[in-house]
Each structure stands twice: as C-alpha cells, then as structure tokens.
Amino acid sequence: MYAVEGALPSWTVSLIMDRPIRRSLGGWGPLVQARAAGLTTFASSPLHGGELIDLMPPELVELIRPGLSPAAACLLVAASTPSLDIIPPNSQQFRALG
C-alpha cells in the first residue's frame, strides 16, 4: 500500500495473476482488505493491455463460460471477483469484444 499526499490510500493489484482473485473468493486478501477499510476498488486494466486475451487457452474460456470470446471471459472473471467494485470501460475493451 502506498499513499500520495492529498490522495486516498490505494493498493495496486494485478489480475493477470490469479492470486488476488483466489484470495477474494476465499474472503481475504488485498481486495477484501480494501473493502473492509471502506475503499472503492477499480480494475484499471482487466485485459492487461490486451495481453491477457492472447494468454487465454480455449479450454479455459470454455470452463469460464462456454461460447464466450477470450475478452468476454476475462471481463466476466473480473466482474465476478468479490470486492472488486468498478471496472471502468475503455476503448480497448470494446474493440476486444468486437
């Protein structure tokens, strides 16, 4: 955690690694701690600059939800993560969804 003068404390959590998601599903970890502290959590780049889409094997996409595109599967995982409050849309996400 770090603080910037005049700003709210914040955590930087990368969802490219599944650890924050698994911890949140288990009811602990930085996302849950942020929620308990009254902070709002944001997913600033749920597609990790588009890199995550290329890392999604078809088997994983089918496990998440059959018939989705890799981009939609990534966004569904982010949207389903407990204690993750806001996933702001950006043009990258809209392009990825086609």
Side-chain angles (χ1 to χ4, degrees):
M1 184 172 92
Y2 64 91
V4 176
E5 188 173 338
L8 293 174
S10 63
W11 276 274
T12 300
V13 176
S14 174
L15 296 180
I16 190 91
M17 305 301 283
D18 69 339
R19 181 180 288 172
I21 297 169
R22 286 186 292 116
R23 287 181 174 175
S24 186
L25 288 169
W28 63 290
L31 292 169
V32 173
Q33 291 171 329
R35 166 78 51 85
L39 299 174
T40 301
T41 58
F42 292 79
S44 65
S45 183
L47 300 179
H48 205 265
E51 293 175 35
L52 191 54
I53 297 167
D54 295 331
L55 296 174
M56 294 286 288
E59 299 83 14
L60 181 55
V61 173
E62 289 297 307
L63 181 65
I64 293 168
R65 181 171 294 165
L68 288 182
S69 68
C74 292
L75 293 174
L76 180 59
V77 169
S80 300
T81 300
S83 299
L84 184 58
D85 297 310
I86 299 171
I87 304 171
N90 62 41
S91 59
Q92 165 204 341
Q93 291 167 301
F94 291 119
R95 280 193 305 273
L97 291 173

